[in-house]
Amino acid sequence: MDEIVLDIENLEKTYPGGVHAVKGISFDVKKGESIAIIGSSGSGKSTVLRCINRLIEPTKGNIKLNNQIINNPLADVNEIRSKIGMVFQSFELFSHLKVLDNITLGLRHVRGMSKDEAEESALEVLARVDMLDRIDAFPGNLSGGQKQRVAIARALAMHPEVILFDEPTSALDPELIGSVLQTIRSLADEGMTMVIVTHEINFARDVADRIIYMDKGLIAEQGPSSIIENPNSDRLKEFLSSMDEENDN
Ligand code: ADP
Ligand code: MG
C-alpha cells in the first residue's frame, strides 16, 4: 500500500477579522506523489499551505505528517518545518547572507551540523539546482529565477519529507519561469513528494499526479491530470477558460 506522508482532514481557517478562507478540505499526499493545487486568487490555496507548514494555526481539522498530528501546540515547529519544506513566490532568502550561507544556516542551527558538513551538503543541493557557480553571490545580485532555485536548494538541503511550493514562478519574468519549472519537474522525476500551488496549468497537467481545484475555500473538483482536458464541473471549466484567455494575452 502507498505510504501516506501528509493527511489533511477537514481543514478550516477563519482569519481574525472573520474571513472564512478555508471551509473544510481533506486530501492526502502519498510518498513520491506530486499534487498541484489550482484555483482563482483568493480561493484559499496559500492558506492551506501556511496551515500545513504551521505558519498559521488552523481553526479546525487535523494535519498529520507520517500519521502524527502536527497542528498541536506542543509539536516542535522547527522540526516540522525541517520535514515540510516551503518555497514561496517571493523567495524569502536572507539578503545579507551569501548563497552558500543561506543554505548552511538551517543545516547548522536546526540540524546541528558542523560548518564543513553543512557546506558539503549545501554544495550538493546547489549542484542539483545548477547554482554552483554563484555560491558567493548575495541574493540581490541574482535573477529571480536564480533566487528561486537557491530557495529550492535551501528546502532540499534539509532532506524534507515533502516540499510545498506556493506559486513559485508568479514573481518571475516570463523568460525565467522555464528554468524554475524544469528544476521542479526534475524533483518530481526523482520522486520528491510535493504540493505545488501554481497558475501554470500546462505545467500542472504535465507534472502532477493529481490536481486539486479549489474554489471559495473548498475543493470543487479533483482528479488525475486528465481533468484539465476534461473537467467535470462547470466551475473548473470556467476557471480553465479564464486561464486560457490570460495566457493568450
Ligand atoms: P489564494 O492563495 O488562493 O489566493 P489565500 O489563501 O491567500 O488565497 O486567501 C484566501 C482568503 O483569505 C482571501 O479572501 C484573503 O483575502 C484572505 N486572507 C489571506 N490571508 C489573510 C490574513 N492574514 N488575514 C485576513 N485574511 C486573509
Ligand atoms: Mg496564494
Side-chain angles (χ1 to χ4, degrees):
M1 225 182 69
D2 291 330
E3 196 182 319
I4 291 174
V5 177
L6 264 185
D7 196 4
I8 316 300
E9 298 172 336
N10 299 314
L11 181 69
E12 280 196 51
K13 176 66 184 180
T14 303
Y15 283 105
V19 177
H20 197 186
V22 174
K23 299 176 181 164
I25 76 164
S26 301
F27 62 95
D28 59 26
V29 186
K30 296 179 184 74
K31 195 172 169 64
E33 236 185 352
S34 300
I35 309 262
I37 303 182
I38 61 173
S40 310
S41 179
S43 59
K45 306 177 302 294
S46 295
T47 301
V48 170
L49 295 193
R50 286 189 215 121
C51 287
I52 296 173
N53 195 241
R54 286 287 306 268
L55 289 167
I56 55 175
E57 294 301 323
T59 311
K60 278 191 198 156
N62 279 325
I63 298 163
K64 291 184 188 160
L65 176 68
N66 296 326
N67 227 11
Q68 303 244 7
I69 292 178
I70 57 169
N71 55 311
N72 162 350
L74 298 176
D76 178 344
V77 172
N78 279 333
E79 194 191 327
I80 291 166
R81 297 219 186 110
S82 73
K83 291 181 177 169
I84 304 178
M86 181 115 171
V87 173
F88 300 89
Q89 179 178 337
S90 52
F91 326 121
E92 309 286 338
L93 296 175
F94 299 107
S95 57
H96 63 292
L97 293 180
K98 291 177 177 180
V99 164
L100 186 67
D101 299 328
N102 260 281
I103 315 279
T104 56
L105 188 74
L107 293 172
R108 299 201 61 191
H109 291 278
V110 180
R111 289 279 192 250
M113 287 186 182
S114 70
K115 187 165 187 282
D116 286 353
E117 280 175 316
E119 287 186 355
E120 193 181 319
S121 290
L123 293 174
E124 187 243 327
V125 289
L126 285 166
R128 281 169 73 186
V129 301
D130 198 20
M131 284 298 295
L132 270 190
D133 53 343
R134 302 304 307 275
I135 62 172
D136 287 323
F138 285 96
N141 295 325
L142 300 177
S143 73
Q146 290 173 326
K147 281 185 221 177
Q148 196 57 299
R149 276 149 47 211
V150 172
I152 293 170
R154 181 175 59 181
L156 281 175
M158 303 302 276
H159 293 287
E161 306 267 345
V162 52
I163 302 183
L164 315 175
F165 292 88
D166 194 357
E167 297 196 29
T169 59
S170 293
L172 301 178
D173 292 335
E175 69 274 18
L176 302 176
I177 291 175
S179 77
V180 172
L181 294 183
Q182 185 47 47
T183 301
I184 300 171
R185 191 186 297 258
S186 67
L187 296 180
D189 292 343
E190 289 162 22
M192 186 74 218
T193 310
M194 304 191 288
V195 181
I196 309 161
V197 170
T198 184
H199 286 294
E200 299 286 335
I201 300 297
N202 294 335
F203 173 75
R205 180 197 58 207
D206 294 346
V207 171
D209 299 300
R210 239 169 347 122
I211 310 261
I212 290 176
Y213 166 57
M214 280 186 67
D215 186 36
K216 301 189 178 78
L218 288 166
I219 295 178
E221 184 165 345
Q222 62 178 315
S225 53
S226 59
I227 66 170
I228 300 290
E229 252 71 60
N230 295 302
N232 287 312
S233 62
D234 289 341
R235 281 190 287 179
L236 179 53
K237 271 177 212 162
E238 277 163 31
F239 171 71
L240 292 170
S241 59
S242 72
M243 297 300 285
D244 277 349
E245 280 163 28
E246 209 171 280
N247 291 337
D248 289 345
N249 290 335

